Amino acid sequence: MKGLIIKDFLLLKNQKRFFLILIIIGVFMIFTGVDVTFISAYITFLVANVALSTISYDDYENSAPYLFSLPVTRKGYVNEKYVFTILCAVGSWLASMLLTWIYLLVRNQQAEKGFWISGGTCLLIAIIFISICLPLWLKLGAEKARLAVLVIAVAGAMITVLISKVMDAKTVIPAVESILEFLEGNLLLTSLGCVVFVMLILAVSYAISLGIVRKKEY
């Protein structure tokens, strides 16, 4: 699996211009006052999408049969794709959170609890995004899955921002305030519940992807 991960990182290296543009856009959004939650979601989902696109390189010019002629099992291939995409998502999420946190420090603004909660929610939604998209990409191939992935990425970013806005509206909507007060009062339990829920989705996704790859003819 180590060799496959190195291969995919080398593939991403060819897209360094894209990452440079992504960083420039992220910095620009920060200094133009765009919601920091959206910035974190934007960067995380785009990088995760690029990581998913490495599957298309494996399908390019029927490269998969050659890949599986090497000491690479189908299960190992699926394992690597999940590890690689999650690594990319977590890495980009950490970078975006660090960038926005530094910006808040420079502006003498305190990173409130909501900032960290929204950031953590963004990461969990990104993992759900990966869990949904990986089976689609493996089943449909690059061309058919690309549009579906784009729609899911945009929806995921919007959901993240919506959650942040709902949290800000807790003083306006009494029902939301009550729910959030309960969740905030049991923050550790709520966080563990969310993590377990996301891990279950990831496990189901992995089982589906493994079944797709095992049945697929290359």
Side-chain angles (χ1 to χ4, degrees):
M1 185 169 67
K2 180 181 176 181
L4 291 175
I5 291 176
I6 293 173
K7 170 189 72 69
D8 284 343
F9 273 118
L10 290 175
L11 288 174
L12 290 189
K13 185 180 177 181
N14 296 329
Q15 302 191 45
K16 52 182 176 289
R17 183 177 298 179
F18 165 80
F19 290 108
L20 178 60
I21 294 172
L22 182 62
I23 292 171
I24 293 172
I25 293 175
V27 172
F28 175 77
M29 286 194 297
I30 286 176
F31 285 97
T32 52
V34 177
D35 188 282
V36 291
T37 305
F38 176 79
I39 296 169
S40 178
Y42 169 79
I43 294 175
T44 303
F45 281 97
L46 272 184
V47 173
N49 189 34
V50 174
L52 286 166
S53 70
T54 57
I55 297 174
S56 64
Y57 287 97
D58 296 335
D59 291 336
Y60 183 68
E61 291 188 349
N62 205 28
S63 299
Y66 171 76
L67 184 65
F68 288 121
S69 69
L70 301 172
V72 175
T73 64
R74 300 196 177 206
K75 182 177 181 180
Y77 178 78
V78 173
N79 291 345
E80 186 273 337
K81 286 304 174 189
Y82 276 87
V83 171
F84 176 71
T85 50
I86 291 174
L87 277 177
C88 289
V90 171
S92 59
W93 174 79
L94 286 173
S96 63
M97 291 293 288
L98 179 62
L99 188 64
T100 51
W101 181 63
I102 291 173
Y103 170 75
L104 292 175
L105 288 180
V106 171
R107 296 290 300 270
N108 293 320
Q109 297 178 12
Q110 187 177 3
E112 299 178 354
K113 185 190 293 185
F115 170 77
W116 302 109
I117 293 175
S118 298
T121 303
C122 169
L123 179 60
L124 293 178
I125 293 176
I127 294 175
I128 293 174
F129 165 75
I130 291 170
S131 301
I132 295 171
C133 293
L134 259 173
L136 283 175
W137 209 293
L138 291 169
K139 178 68 175 179
L140 302 176
E143 295 303 322
K144 293 180 180 179
R146 199 178 302 276
L147 179 59
V149 169
L150 179 61
V151 171
I152 294 170
V154 173
M158 291 178 65
I159 289 171
T160 304
V161 175
L162 180 61
I163 290 173
S164 176
K165 297 300 181 183
V166 168
M167 292 181 65
D168 292 337
K170 65 181 181 180
T171 57
V172 180
I173 307 173
V176 173
E177 182 179 10
S178 300
I179 294 171
L180 290 177
E181 283 180 354
F182 172 79
L183 295 177
E184 289 175 2
N186 301 273
L187 191 57
L188 180 59
L189 183 62
T190 302
S191 301
L192 288 174
C194 290
V195 170
V196 170
F197 175 71
V198 171
M199 290 302 102
L200 285 174
I201 292 176
L202 188 63
V204 171
S205 169
Y206 172 78
I208 294 171
S209 294
L210 188 59
I212 289 170
V213 173
R214 280 176 171 169
K215 295 177 181 178
K216 194 171 182 179
E217 295 183 3
Y218 291 98

